[in-house]
PDB file of all heavy atoms in Angstrom:
ATOM      1  N   GLY A  97     -30.838   4.670  28.652  1.00 89.00           N
ATOM      2  CA  GLY A  97     -31.652   4.753  29.796  1.00 89.00           C
ATOM      3  C   GLY A  97     -32.660   3.738  30.041  1.00 89.00           C
ATOM      4  O   GLY A  97     -33.570   3.832  30.871  1.00 89.00           O
ATOM      5  N   THR A  98     -32.608   2.603  29.297  1.00 92.00           N
ATOM      6  CA  THR A  98     -33.578   1.511  29.363  1.00 92.00           C
ATOM      7  C   THR A  98     -32.996   0.286  30.051  1.00 92.00           C
ATOM      8  O   THR A  98     -31.798   0.133  30.133  1.00 92.00           O
ATOM      9  CB  THR A  98     -34.058   1.093  27.947  1.00 92.00           C
ATOM     10  OG1 THR A  98     -32.932   0.626  27.225  1.00 92.00           O
ATOM     11  CG2 THR A  98     -34.672   2.329  27.224  1.00 92.00           C
ATOM     12  N   VAL A  99     -33.855  -0.583  30.502  1.00 94.00           N
ATOM     13  CA  VAL A  99     -33.408  -1.865  31.066  1.00 94.00           C
ATOM     14  C   VAL A  99     -32.597  -2.656  30.022  1.00 94.00           C
ATOM     15  O   VAL A  99     -31.632  -3.267  30.329  1.00 94.00           O
ATOM     16  CB  VAL A  99     -34.570  -2.627  31.634  1.00 94.00           C
ATOM     17  CG1 VAL A  99     -34.127  -4.071  32.049  1.00 94.00           C
ATOM     18  CG2 VAL A  99     -35.241  -1.929  32.813  1.00 94.00           C
ATOM     19  N   ASP A 100     -33.173  -2.698  28.821  1.00 95.00           N
ATOM     20  CA  ASP A 100     -32.492  -3.430  27.730  1.00 95.00           C
ATOM     21  C   ASP A 100     -31.103  -2.852  27.543  1.00 95.00           C
ATOM     22  O   ASP A 100     -30.100  -3.637  27.373  1.00 95.00           O
ATOM     23  CB  ASP A 100     -33.279  -3.325  26.439  1.00 95.00           C
ATOM     24  CG  ASP A 100     -32.612  -4.103  25.282  1.00 95.00           C
ATOM     25  OD1 ASP A 100     -32.516  -5.329  25.352  1.00 95.00           O
ATOM     26  OD2 ASP A 100     -32.202  -3.414  24.337  1.00 95.00           O
ATOM     27  N   GLY A 101     -30.941  -1.555  27.513  1.00 95.00           N
ATOM     28  CA  GLY A 101     -29.597  -0.864  27.340  1.00 95.00           C
ATOM     29  C   GLY A 101     -28.664  -1.369  28.452  1.00 95.00           C
ATOM     30  O   GLY A 101     -27.481  -1.598  28.236  1.00 95.00           O
ATOM     31  N   ALA A 102     -29.203  -1.362  29.692  1.00 96.00           N
ATOM     32  CA  ALA A 102     -28.390  -1.737  30.846  1.00 96.00           C
ATOM     33  C   ALA A 102     -27.951  -3.217  30.741  1.00 96.00           C
ATOM     34  O   ALA A 102     -26.779  -3.584  31.025  1.00 96.00           O
ATOM     35  CB  ALA A 102     -29.183  -1.490  32.099  1.00 96.00           C
ATOM     36  N   GLU A 103     -28.873  -4.045  30.312  1.00 97.00           N
ATOM     37  CA  GLU A 103     -28.561  -5.476  30.161  1.00 97.00           C
ATOM     38  C   GLU A 103     -27.476  -5.640  29.006  1.00 97.00           C
ATOM     39  O   GLU A 103     -26.551  -6.485  29.158  1.00 97.00           O
ATOM     40  CB  GLU A 103     -29.758  -6.282  29.806  1.00 97.00           C
ATOM     41  CG  GLU A 103     -30.742  -6.392  31.018  1.00 97.00           C
ATOM     42  CD  GLU A 103     -32.069  -7.014  30.685  1.00 97.00           C
ATOM     43  OE1 GLU A 103     -32.387  -7.091  29.438  1.00 97.00           O
ATOM     44  OE2 GLU A 103     -32.804  -7.438  31.585  1.00 97.00           O
ATOM     45  N   ARG A 104     -27.587  -4.893  27.924  1.00 97.00           N
ATOM     46  CA  ARG A 104     -26.594  -4.995  26.881  1.00 97.00           C
ATOM     47  C   ARG A 104     -25.267  -4.498  27.347  1.00 97.00           C
ATOM     48  O   ARG A 104     -24.180  -5.086  27.059  1.00 97.00           O
ATOM     49  CB  ARG A 104     -27.049  -4.188  25.695  1.00 97.00           C
ATOM     50  CG  ARG A 104     -28.319  -4.603  25.025  1.00 97.00           C
ATOM     51  CD  ARG A 104     -28.139  -5.845  24.145  1.00 97.00           C
ATOM     52  NE  ARG A 104     -27.340  -5.551  22.965  1.00 97.00           N
ATOM     53  CZ  ARG A 104     -27.790  -5.095  21.814  1.00 97.00           C
ATOM     54  NH1 ARG A 104     -29.102  -4.846  21.705  1.00 97.00           N
ATOM     55  NH2 ARG A 104     -27.034  -4.912  20.832  1.00 97.00           N
ATOM     56  N   ALA A 105     -25.245  -3.425  28.180  1.00 97.00           N
ATOM     57  CA  ALA A 105     -24.021  -2.951  28.720  1.00 97.00           C
ATOM     58  C   ALA A 105     -23.390  -3.915  29.656  1.00 97.00           C
ATOM     59  O   ALA A 105     -22.118  -4.200  29.616  1.00 97.00           O
ATOM     60  CB  ALA A 105     -24.342  -1.605  29.460  1.00 97.00           C
ATOM     61  N   GLU A 106     -24.224  -4.595  30.456  1.00 97.00           N
ATOM     62  CA  GLU A 106     -23.629  -5.612  31.400  1.00 97.00           C
ATOM     63  C   GLU A 106     -23.063  -6.832  30.627  1.00 97.00           C
ATOM     64  O   GLU A 106     -22.036  -7.379  30.991  1.00 97.00           O
ATOM     65  CB  GLU A 106     -24.693  -6.063  32.416  1.00 97.00           C
ATOM     66  CG  GLU A 106     -24.104  -6.922  33.489  1.00 97.00           C
ATOM     67  CD  GLU A 106     -24.932  -6.947  34.738  1.00 97.00           C
ATOM     68  OE1 GLU A 106     -25.902  -6.164  34.926  1.00 97.00           O
ATOM     69  OE2 GLU A 106     -24.712  -7.829  35.554  1.00 97.00           O
ATOM     70  N   ALA A 107     -23.721  -7.202  29.497  1.00 97.00           N
ATOM     71  CA  ALA A 107     -23.182  -8.278  28.708  1.00 97.00           C
ATOM     72  C   ALA A 107     -21.848  -7.904  28.092  1.00 97.00           C
ATOM     73  O   ALA A 107     -20.961  -8.759  28.015  1.00 97.00           O
ATOM     74  CB  ALA A 107     -24.181  -8.552  27.524  1.00 97.00           C
ATOM     75  N   LEU A 108     -21.612  -6.603  27.755  1.00 97.00           N
ATOM     76  CA  LEU A 108     -20.332  -6.161  27.238  1.00 97.00           C
ATOM     77  C   LEU A 108     -19.250  -6.283  28.322  1.00 97.00           C
ATOM     78  O   LEU A 108     -18.117  -6.605  28.007  1.00 97.00           O
ATOM     79  CB  LEU A 108     -20.433  -4.734  26.721  1.00 97.00           C
ATOM     80  CG  LEU A 108     -21.026  -4.580  25.339  1.00 97.00           C
ATOM     81  CD1 LEU A 108     -21.164  -3.114  24.968  1.00 97.00           C
ATOM     82  CD2 LEU A 108     -20.206  -5.361  24.262  1.00 97.00           C
ATOM     83  N   LEU A 109     -19.628  -5.911  29.578  1.00 97.00           N
ATOM     84  CA  LEU A 109     -18.663  -6.066  30.654  1.00 97.00           C
ATOM     85  C   LEU A 109     -18.193  -7.508  30.780  1.00 97.00           C
ATOM     86  O   LEU A 109     -17.011  -7.824  30.978  1.00 97.00           O
ATOM     87  CB  LEU A 109     -19.115  -5.510  31.946  1.00 97.00           C
ATOM     88  CG  LEU A 109     -18.184  -5.538  33.103  1.00 97.00           C
ATOM     89  CD1 LEU A 109     -17.036  -4.616  32.915  1.00 97.00           C
ATOM     90  CD2 LEU A 109     -18.829  -5.227  34.409  1.00 97.00           C
ATOM     91  N   GLY A 110     -19.165  -8.426  30.734  1.00 97.00           N
ATOM     92  CA  GLY A 110     -18.861  -9.858  30.775  1.00 97.00           C
ATOM     93  C   GLY A 110     -17.930 -10.311  29.631  1.00 97.00           C
ATOM     94  O   GLY A 110     -17.086 -11.087  29.796  1.00 97.00           O
ATOM     95  N   ARG A 111     -18.247  -9.773  28.457  1.00 96.00           N
ATOM     96  CA  ARG A 111     -17.448 -10.090  27.287  1.00 96.00           C
ATOM     97  C   ARG A 111     -16.013  -9.560  27.463  1.00 96.00           C
ATOM     98  O   ARG A 111     -15.069 -10.241  27.117  1.00 96.00           O
ATOM     99  CB  ARG A 111     -18.063  -9.446  26.060  1.00 96.00           C
ATOM    100  CG  ARG A 111     -17.444  -9.686  24.774  1.00 96.00           C
ATOM    101  CD  ARG A 111     -18.433  -9.247  23.660  1.00 96.00           C
ATOM    102  NE  ARG A 111     -17.785  -8.555  22.517  1.00 96.00           N
ATOM    103  CZ  ARG A 111     -18.453  -7.939  21.578  1.00 96.00           C
ATOM    104  NH1 ARG A 111     -19.767  -7.878  21.611  1.00 96.00           N
ATOM    105  NH2 ARG A 111     -17.783  -7.424  20.569  1.00 96.00           N
ATOM    106  N   MET A 112     -15.882  -8.410  28.064  1.00 96.00           N
ATOM    107  CA  MET A 112     -14.561  -7.775  28.318  1.00 96.00           C
ATOM    108  C   MET A 112     -13.775  -8.708  29.298  1.00 96.00           C
ATOM    109  O   MET A 112     -12.603  -8.943  29.110  1.00 96.00           O
ATOM    110  CB  MET A 112     -14.777  -6.430  28.911  1.00 96.00           C
ATOM    111  CG  MET A 112     -13.565  -5.577  29.088  1.00 96.00           C
ATOM    112  SD  MET A 112     -14.090  -3.978  29.723  1.00 96.00           S
ATOM    113  CE  MET A 112     -12.457  -3.254  30.079  1.00 96.00           C
ATOM    114  N   GLU A 113     -14.488  -9.145  30.331  1.00 96.00           N
ATOM    115  CA  GLU A 113     -13.833 -10.088  31.294  1.00 96.00           C
ATOM    116  C   GLU A 113     -13.345 -11.318  30.629  1.00 96.00           C
ATOM    117  O   GLU A 113     -12.205 -11.795  30.913  1.00 96.00           O
ATOM    118  CB  GLU A 113     -14.883 -10.426  32.417  1.00 96.00           C
ATOM    119  CG  GLU A 113     -15.288  -9.268  33.286  1.00 96.00           C
ATOM    120  CD  GLU A 113     -14.463  -9.158  34.539  1.00 96.00           C
ATOM    121  OE1 GLU A 113     -13.330  -9.693  34.496  1.00 96.00           O
ATOM    122  OE2 GLU A 113     -14.864  -8.492  35.471  1.00 96.00           O
ATOM    123  N   ARG A 114     -14.154 -11.880  29.769  1.00 95.00           N
ATOM    124  CA  ARG A 114     -13.760 -13.136  29.058  1.00 95.00           C
ATOM    125  C   ARG A 114     -12.521 -12.898  28.162  1.00 95.00           C
ATOM    126  O   ARG A 114     -11.668 -13.714  28.129  1.00 95.00           O
ATOM    127  CB  ARG A 114     -14.962 -13.700  28.251  1.00 95.00           C
ATOM    128  CG  ARG A 114     -16.041 -14.272  29.125  1.00 95.00           C
ATOM    129  CD  ARG A 114     -17.054 -15.033  28.298  1.00 95.00           C
ATOM    130  NE  ARG A 114     -17.796 -14.211  27.377  1.00 95.00           N
ATOM    131  CZ  ARG A 114     -18.807 -13.497  27.672  1.00 95.00           C
ATOM    132  NH1 ARG A 114     -19.305 -13.539  28.907  1.00 95.00           N
ATOM    133  NH2 ARG A 114     -19.434 -12.789  26.742  1.00 95.00           N
ATOM    134  N   ARG A 115     -12.550 -11.754  27.457  1.00 93.00           N
ATOM    135  CA  ARG A 115     -11.430 -11.487  26.581  1.00 93.00           C
ATOM    136  C   ARG A 115     -10.190 -11.276  27.368  1.00 93.00           C
ATOM    137  O   ARG A 115      -9.038 -11.754  26.930  1.00 93.00           O
ATOM    138  CB  ARG A 115     -11.695 -10.147  25.775  1.00 93.00           C
ATOM    139  CG  ARG A 115     -12.681 -10.355  24.662  1.00 93.00           C
ATOM    140  CD  ARG A 115     -12.044 -10.984  23.441  1.00 93.00           C
ATOM    141  NE  ARG A 115     -11.205  -9.989  22.737  1.00 93.00           N
ATOM    142  CZ  ARG A 115     -10.306 -10.295  21.837  1.00 93.00           C
ATOM    143  NH1 ARG A 115     -10.101 -11.566  21.472  1.00 93.00           N
ATOM    144  NH2 ARG A 115      -9.548  -9.409  21.256  1.00 93.00           N
ATOM    145  N   TYR A 116     -10.273 -10.697  28.540  1.00 95.00           N
ATOM    146  CA  TYR A 116      -9.104 -10.531  29.363  1.00 95.00           C
ATOM    147  C   TYR A 116      -8.609 -11.846  29.867  1.00 95.00           C
ATOM    148  O   TYR A 116      -7.394 -12.077  29.934  1.00 95.00           O
ATOM    149  CB  TYR A 116      -9.452  -9.589  30.582  1.00 95.00           C
ATOM    150  CG  TYR A 116      -8.358  -9.520  31.617  1.00 95.00           C
ATOM    151  CD1 TYR A 116      -7.115  -9.091  31.331  1.00 95.00           C
ATOM    152  CD2 TYR A 116      -8.638  -9.944  32.942  1.00 95.00           C
ATOM    153  CE1 TYR A 116      -6.115  -9.043  32.309  1.00 95.00           C
ATOM    154  CE2 TYR A 116      -7.674  -9.893  33.939  1.00 95.00           C
ATOM    155  CZ  TYR A 116      -6.411  -9.395  33.574  1.00 95.00           C
ATOM    156  OH  TYR A 116      -5.435  -9.381  34.553  1.00 95.00           O
ATOM    157  N   ALA A 117      -9.560 -12.757  30.254  1.00 95.00           N
ATOM    158  CA  ALA A 117      -9.150 -14.055  30.723  1.00 95.00           C
ATOM    159  C   ALA A 117      -8.476 -14.900  29.566  1.00 95.00           C
ATOM    160  O   ALA A 117      -7.533 -15.627  29.821  1.00 95.00           O
ATOM    161  CB  ALA A 117     -10.363 -14.809  31.269  1.00 95.00           C
ATOM    162  N   GLU A 118      -8.982 -14.683  28.341  1.00 91.00           N
ATOM    163  CA  GLU A 118      -8.424 -15.433  27.235  1.00 91.00           C
ATOM    164  C   GLU A 118      -6.992 -14.980  26.878  1.00 91.00           C
ATOM    165  O   GLU A 118      -6.198 -15.771  26.531  1.00 91.00           O
ATOM    166  CB  GLU A 118      -9.347 -15.260  26.007  1.00 91.00           C
ATOM    167  CG  GLU A 118     -10.650 -15.969  26.045  1.00 91.00           C
ATOM    168  CD  GLU A 118     -11.594 -15.536  24.972  1.00 91.00           C
ATOM    169  OE1 GLU A 118     -11.132 -14.768  24.045  1.00 91.00           O
ATOM    170  OE2 GLU A 118     -12.809 -15.942  24.971  1.00 91.00           O
ATOM    171  N   THR A 119      -6.787 -13.674  26.814  1.00 89.00           N
ATOM    172  CA  THR A 119      -5.559 -13.110  26.305  1.00 89.00           C
ATOM    173  C   THR A 119      -4.579 -12.743  27.388  1.00 89.00           C
ATOM    174  O   THR A 119      -3.427 -12.633  27.090  1.00 89.00           O
ATOM    175  CB  THR A 119      -5.924 -11.816  25.492  1.00 89.00           C
ATOM    176  OG1 THR A 119      -6.463 -10.831  26.347  1.00 89.00           O
ATOM    177  CG2 THR A 119      -6.929 -12.146  24.385  1.00 89.00           C
ATOM    178  N   GLY A 120      -5.082 -12.420  28.638  1.00 93.00           N
ATOM    179  CA  GLY A 120      -4.138 -11.954  29.632  1.00 93.00           C
ATOM    180  C   GLY A 120      -3.663 -10.528  29.357  1.00 93.00           C
ATOM    181  O   GLY A 120      -2.725 -10.049  29.978  1.00 93.00           O
ATOM    182  N   ASP A 121      -4.296  -9.851  28.395  1.00 93.00           N
ATOM    183  CA  ASP A 121      -3.859  -8.497  28.047  1.00 93.00           C
ATOM    184  C   ASP A 121      -4.282  -7.532  29.090  1.00 93.00           C
ATOM    185  O   ASP A 121      -5.505  -7.354  29.334  1.00 93.00           O
ATOM    186  CB  ASP A 121      -4.494  -8.106  26.667  1.00 93.00           C
ATOM    187  CG  ASP A 121      -4.128  -6.708  26.257  1.00 93.00           C
ATOM    188  OD1 ASP A 121      -3.380  -6.015  26.972  1.00 93.00           O
ATOM    189  OD2 ASP A 121      -4.522  -6.306  25.139  1.00 93.00           O
TER     190      ASP A 121
END
Side-chain angles (χ1 to χ4, degrees):
T98 63
V99 172
D100 179 67
E103 290 173 344
R104 297 282 294 272
E106 190 159 346
L108 280 178
L109 182 68
R111 183 167 143 190
M112 186 179 176
E113 293 270 19
R114 290 190 296 274
R115 286 280 287 164
Y116 171 60
E118 290 169 5
T119 65
D121 181 358

